[in-house]
Amino acid sequence: MKFSDEFEIRFAEMVPHYPIKRSALVPTLLYAQDEVGFLSDAVIAEIAERLDLTELEVRNVISYYSMLTTKPRGKFNVQVCTNLSCMVRGGEQILDHCKKRLGVGNKGTTLDGLFSVEEVECIGACSWAPAAQVNYDFHENLTAEKMDRVLEDYRRKATP
Amino acid sequence: MADLVSHPDEVKVVSKRFGRGATNIDRYLELDGYKAVQKALAMQPDAIINEVKNSGLRGRGGAGFSTGMKWSFVPKQSAKPKYVLCNGDESEPGTCKDRLIFEHDPHAVIEGVMIAALAVGALSGYLYIRGEYRYLSIIMQRAIRDAYARGFVGKNIFGSGRNLDIYWHGGAGAYEVGEESALMESLEGKRGIPRIRPPFPAVVGLWGGPTVINNAETLANVPHIILGGAEWYANLGTPKNGGTRLFCLSGNIAKPGVYELPMGYNLKKMLYDVGGGIPNERNLKAVVPGGSSCPCLTANEIDVNMDFDSVAKAGSMLGSGGVVVVDDAQCIVKFALRTMKFYKHESCGWCIPCREGTDWLEKTLTRFHRGGGLKNDIDNMQYLSENMLGRTFCPLGDAAAMPTIAFVKKFRKEFEDHLEGRPCPYEKEGAVDQLPVMT
Ligand SMILES: Cc1cc2nc3c(=O)[nH]c(=O)nc-3n(C[C@H](O)[C@H](O)[C@H](O)COP(=O)(O)O)c2cc1C
Ligand code: SF4
Ligand code: FES
């Protein structure tokens, strides 16, 4: 298992921040997932070994956190908030729009592997609702047209 | 990233550096940065605690506990190291204020953590930032690095001979991890299952050491209190409710945004003067005054001063400062259902009343909203929620039950309007044909 230099530098810097190694687990998993796309068996085995944990202990933690996944997702994960502040301003319609536009259901991935769509809970953008995150980028005060432009921008980014 | 707003009634304390480039450490220094911690270094720990106590600062994370009091519970002597933990898990629906603090004034949070550490005798502080806030984690990491490079943090801070380390930490998506004991579990690399109390974190916390846990906004207030003095800060608010608060206006309101208003600011004024009222020629139906866990107030109940005690007197909570406005085009049953769907999703499953209660309430509300409700369901939902109160392992169970009780009690008629297979009066398509199969 090989991670990027950036990952290795961050990991080496992070572990000594804590009195016990295990504490680095949650952020390490997320950074690993960002590189590989999902938490594969190989990633889990590698991280378990580095932090002196069993694979089962690592899987047990993964299953708790909603951002962590053991299944591949699209290159761009479109996470639409439908919680209260977004819902009353049309968040559900934005979610439906994304599903239709991309032709997938909740947590589905497009055939070209470019996009997946996920309904998420509040992402801390309530005052700029309705809102979505594509990977880590926030997109706020959305309308169907604006969402289309956002998706188009990502598509263009992927096809140089 | 997120747009800033302003209104003449605002009193800018925590937000005073917003939009002024204070992520840059030199700019932060120009704007009185790192003065408070140097002042605190010359104070006795008890004097710091007293100053914060007298300021009337209460926790901005939700419960509104006196911050100075919390710090005073940390034992003076401890065999294990003590810690300060900043709660930046911000996930309560309706709440988006800590995000602005991290984005615009990261050093203020660091300074707040440092002053808390000096007050309780901790040698390290951790900043826990929710996983979704990656860009904020990057901002915080840079701020911490800059503070180390200047010798403000680390060994011999400001040449005082004292050591104090600050670290960042990231989550990976979980509302329950915002609960203080689950937060510590998460930081220890585990599932966010809460811990039994007592012992309280102030005595046995992170890695077994005494730990102060405060919300990011709470901590960002501390440097201002140390510099401006307890009396000045206390006088900004109402008795026992010092200072100001970041109120996150959201939902069906003309000018949503995060506004810093004095504690005790009138809710009606907040909605109509600051927030510009209800748009689209609609009327107000309900307001959730402090994040999704707080019982809603009806349009007749909004003449209330927004401080912890007044809102409690009005039967709700000031909570996390998330003011969610609901207009009369919205269906309360649906709103209640969405609220419950959230709690069901976020319940960690550790204790039965919450795990089963949220599941049943979500199922019942789903069926109800689709027109398949039974007359008994209305009372049953109330009964079930009331029986969750105080019987769960952590406050998430209460947070799910309390708003539900208020929805059922205050909007019973809307529930009745959904009975006998009638379609939701607020939705265009018919509801009966969507009846779920109950298993
Ligand atoms: C289910 C649940 C979620 C919570 N989420 C948060 C949160 O995201 N941020 C926060 O500061 N406090 C949250 N709290 C409150 C914390 O448990 C704790 O009281 C708070 O961080 C203490 O800081 P304060 O005294 O400065 O408010 C949550 C509580 C519960 C029960
Ligand atoms: S109340 Fe809910 S979230 Fe809290 S411990 Fe019980 S199951 Fe977990
Ligand atoms: S409710 Fe959608 S971002 Fe908070």
Side-chain angles (χ1 to χ4, degrees):
Chain A
M1 192 74 235
K2 199 156 160 35
F3 295 112
S4 69
D5 291 348
E6 197 193 339
F7 178 96
E8 294 300 351
I9 292 167
R10 189 184 296 106
F11 182 77
E13 197 183 277
M14 199 154 55
V15 172
H17 288 175
Y18 311 101
I20 52 166
K21 268 192 194 172
R22 181 182 182 143
S23 285
L25 180 59
V26 176
T28 300
L29 284 169
L30 192 55
Y31 280 105
Q33 174 173 299
D34 291 342
E35 295 209 340
V36 181
F38 68 109
L39 296 166
S40 63
D41 292 350
V43 172
I44 293 171
E46 171 75 21
I47 290 176
E49 192 183 314
R50 288 191 188 199
L51 298 177
D52 298 334
L53 297 167
T54 63
E55 289 182 32
L56 187 64
E57 283 170 313
V58 174
R59 284 180 194 278
N60 193 23
V61 168
I62 292 171
S63 66
Y64 179 88
Y65 294 90
S66 63
M67 292 173 75
L68 301 179
T69 175
T70 52
K71 297 196 184 72
R73 283 197 287 233
K75 186 171 159 69
F76 303 114
N77 191 27
V78 183
Q79 303 147 85
V80 184
C81 173
T82 59
N83 212 309
L84 303 176
S85 310
C86 290
M87 180 181 83
V88 301
R89 292 179 85 96
E92 293 173 319
Q93 285 76 7
I94 299 291
L95 175 67
D96 281 345
H97 184 78
C98 290
K99 286 189 200 162
K100 276 201 196 107
R101 187 57 92 222
L102 298 170
V104 295
N106 191 29
K107 298 204 176 179
T109 303
T110 54
L111 286 176
D112 59 5
L114 218 46
F115 291 100
S116 34
V117 176
E118 190 178 347
E119 177 179 16
V120 293
E121 299 297 354
C122 178
I123 50 176
C126 324
S127 288
W128 311 283
Q133 263 188 302
V134 180
N135 297 346
Y136 291 106
D137 293 336
F138 281 87
H139 299 280
E140 297 164 335
N141 300 311
L142 290 170
T143 57
E145 296 73 48
K146 193 165 168 189
M147 194 73 230
D148 279 342
R149 284 200 298 276
V150 168
L151 295 177
E152 219 25 69
D153 284 348
Y154 283 99
R155 192 185 299 283
R156 215 169 303 130
K157 235 185 247 176
T159 43
Chain B
M1 283 252 320
D3 303 330
L4 296 175
V5 285
S6 74
H7 185 272
D9 283 2
E10 277 189 288
V11 177
K12 300 206 180 216
V13 179
V14 206
S15 64
K16 95 172 190 200
R17 299 190 191 96
F18 286 9
R20 298 176 69 190
T23 46
N24 177 302
I25 195 165
D26 289 313
R27 182 76 182 127
Y28 183 71
L29 289 168
E30 274 168 33
L31 299 169
D32 295 333
Y34 288 109
K35 279 190 185 151
V37 65
Q38 294 186 65
K39 186 172 172 191
L41 271 168
M43 290 166 77
Q44 289 301 318
D46 281 343
I48 303 176
I49 293 178
N50 277 333
E51 195 73 2
V52 174
K53 258 190 205 163
N54 295 336
S55 75
L57 175 65
R58 295 169 67 168
R60 306 297 196 240
F65 194 80
S66 157
T67 305
M69 193 78 87
K70 188 184 269 188
W71 296 1
S72 73
F73 296 153
V74 176
K76 294 260 174 306
Q77 304 298 331
S78 166
K80 296 213 163 162
K82 304 179 205 175
Y83 300 99
V84 174
L85 172 52
C86 167
N87 190 344
D89 191 54
E90 181 160 82
S91 316
E92 171 97 355
T95 317
C96 48
K97 63 187 176 66
D98 297 341
R99 185 175 154 198
L100 292 184
I101 300 175
F102 290 129
E103 183 174 329
H104 292 275
D105 206 4
H107 288 285
V109 185
I110 297 176
E111 220 184 327
V113 172
M114 292 177 77
I115 295 168
L118 294 173
V120 302
L123 298 181
S124 31
Y126 290 84
L127 297 154
Y128 188 113
I129 301 168
R130 69 179 292 191
E132 291 86 345
Y133 286 177
R134 172 62 61 80
Y135 80 106
L136 299 175
S137 175
I138 293 168
I139 292 174
M140 274 324 302
Q141 286 173 46
R142 202 189 86 195
I144 293 171
R145 250 198 314 273
D146 290 348
Y148 267 102
R150 301 291 171 101
F152 300 168
V153 181
K155 297 235 161 7
N156 186 23
I157 57 169
F158 296 99
S160 65
R162 316 248 300 251
N163 300 339
L164 177 44
D165 283 303
I166 302 285
Y167 308 111
W168 63 275
H169 187 86
Y175 167 66
E176 171 60 4
V177 156
E179 193 278 333
E180 56 181 21
S181 65
L183 187 72
M184 297 189 292
E185 289 287 302
S186 180
L187 186 38
E188 293 184 12
K190 302 182 214 148
R191 291 168 75 89
I193 308 281
R195 297 178 184 173
I196 190 94
R197 276 147 290 180
F200 288 95
V203 183
V204 182
L206 263 179
W207 304 293
T211 304
V212 161
I213 302 165
N214 277 122
N215 170 259
E217 184 188 351
T218 312
L219 289 164
N221 269 291
V222 169
H224 299 289
I225 293 168
I226 296 300
L227 275 188
E231 199 182 319
W232 159 78
Y233 189 82
N235 286 336
L236 296 175
T238 54
K240 297 203 189 115
N241 290 267
T244 57
R245 197 150 192 192
L246 294 176
F247 289 101
C248 323
L249 284 187
S250 74
N252 305 124
I253 184 103
K255 294 183 206 154
V258 178
Y259 298 90
E260 182 166 9
L261 296 162
M263 277 284 190
Y265 195 85
N266 185 276
L267 177 59
K268 194 170 186 173
K269 253 180 99 174
M270 193 185 297
L271 299 188
Y272 289 94
D273 292 357
V274 179
I278 317 296
N280 307 324
E281 284 157 41
R282 288 279 170 190
N283 292 310
L284 179 68
K285 180 181 271 186
V287 191
V288 179
S292 61
S293 308
C294 306
C296 67
L297 300 171
T298 65
N300 299 324
E301 294 171 328
I302 58 166
D303 194 7
V304 51
N305 295 337
M306 294 288 271
D307 61 49
F308 287 102
D309 303 315
S310 308
V311 182
K313 220 188 263 162
S316 186
M317 297 181 309
L318 194 59
S320 62
V323 181
V324 186
V325 185
V326 183
D327 74 17
D328 59 1
Q330 310 296 329
C331 170
I332 287 292
V333 179
K334 184 173 177 194
F335 198 82
L337 166 60
R338 187 63 187 87
T339 306
M340 193 50 66
K341 187 176 161 199
F342 169 71
Y343 288 104
K344 192 234 149 156
H345 181 252
E346 301 298 332
S347 167
C348 80
W350 184 250
C351 68
I352 295 164
C354 168
R355 183 183 66 218
E356 298 298 312
T358 54
D359 188 45
W360 271 104
L361 286 165
E362 194 216 3
K363 280 188 175 133
T364 312
L365 283 160
T366 302
R367 180 171 70 173
F368 212 101
H369 184 241
R370 293 184 182 174
L374 309 174
K375 210 163 179 359
N376 282 349
D377 285 344
I378 306 179
D379 290 329
N380 280 345
M381 281 188 276
Q382 189 175 336
Y383 177 77
L384 185 58
S385 307
E386 279 169 357
N387 277 290
M388 282 165 71
L389 284 184
R391 293 199 174 87
T392 54
F393 197 75
C394 90
L396 188 139
D398 291 342
M402 287 181 299
T404 310
I405 295 170
F407 291 133
V408 172
K409 273 196 182 156
K410 296 182 181 182
F411 292 95
R412 195 179 173 96
K413 179 156 181 321
E414 280 199 31
F415 283 83
E416 287 169 353
D417 286 346
H418 281 72
L419 279 175
E420 290 148 19
R422 263 173 287 172
C424 172
Y426 297 88
E427 277 188 11
K428 282 151 235 110
E429 71 262 49
V432 192
D433 53 348
Q434 300 174 27
L435 279 188
V437 180
M438 298 298 282
T439 46

